[in-house]
Amino acid sequence: MPIGLAAANKQAPVLMHMEYRVSLPDHDWMIAARHKLIPSVYAACVIQNGEIGRPEAVTYSGPSYIAIRSGKHSSSTASTHAFDFEKLITLTQFRNVIKDNCGRVKPVIFVSSDGGPDENPRYPKVVAHAIHHFQKHDLDAIFIFTNAPGRSAFNR
């Protein structure tokens, strides 16, 4: 998700459709990291009620949230993602997805990431933050998974 500088009075919304084969590296590491904005995109997959077991029941039309950080002042780390998770559970747009009818975080959390070092479950900091969420919110299970190496460009 490239983010450019806004050109006042020069931009208009445009809807485009392109069909092409994705051929991106695992991560597009920034050339000038200290001068870029770093987006972290979170989206909820919603399973339609009464449709569990059917692949078509899983939709990608749930709420989304984008946290944007300055590469000059901060970075994307396991800690920033943990902070973002705590923010998500307070947002009204995510309430039906993350919380049950009593206002508690649902007992099972699934996190799909692109496998970067700031969110890959192979790294101790990511595991430590997952354990913290598990204990703090009295979860029954938390699953963090990634695509196979070299396949993050295809992460839905």
Side-chain angles (χ1 to χ4, degrees):
M1 173 179 294
I3 297 177
L5 298 175
N9 301 325
K10 301 271 185 200
Q11 293 181 332
V14 175
L15 180 62
M16 293 176 53
H17 175 75
M18 294 179 61
E19 290 187 28
Y20 61 94
R21 184 171 180 81
V22 177
S23 59
L24 299 173
D26 242 7
H27 276 84
D28 34 343
W29 302 104
M30 295 176 208
I31 296 168
R34 314 239 356 116
H35 300 286
K36 298 255 182 165
L37 296 176
I38 304 168
S40 293
V41 181
Y42 302 91
C45 292
V46 178
I47 301 174
Q48 297 170 356
N49 286 334
E51 301 285 327
I52 293 177
R54 289 186 12 157
E56 302 83 29
V58 179
T59 68
Y60 300 101
S61 60
S64 60
Y65 173 75
I66 301 174
I68 300 175
R69 293 179 176 78
S70 164
K72 184 175 182 177
H73 299 98
S74 63
S75 61
S76 181
T77 65
S79 297
T80 59
H81 290 298
F83 177 81
D84 290 343
F85 177 80
E86 294 297 329
K87 173 75 175 174
L88 288 178
I89 64 176
T90 67
L91 297 175
T92 55
Q93 296 89 335
F94 281 82
R95 182 167 177 64
N96 292 338
V97 178
I98 293 182
K99 294 189 175 182
D100 63 14
N101 294 336
C102 298
R104 296 178 303 238
V105 175
K106 291 182 179 179
V108 179
I109 301 289
F110 290 88
V111 178
S112 172
S113 73
D114 67 0
D118 55 340
E119 55 198 5
N120 194 311
R122 293 187 322 240
Y123 293 94
K125 283 262 190 180
V126 175
V127 173
H129 285 295
I131 291 169
H132 173 77
H133 294 316
F134 183 85
Q135 293 174 332
K136 180 178 180 181
H137 300 293
D138 193 27
L139 301 176
D140 292 342
I142 185 167
F143 298 91
I144 303 173
F145 52 96
T146 65
N147 283 323
R151 304 292 292 175
S152 71
F154 300 97
N155 187 346
R156 294 191 275 185

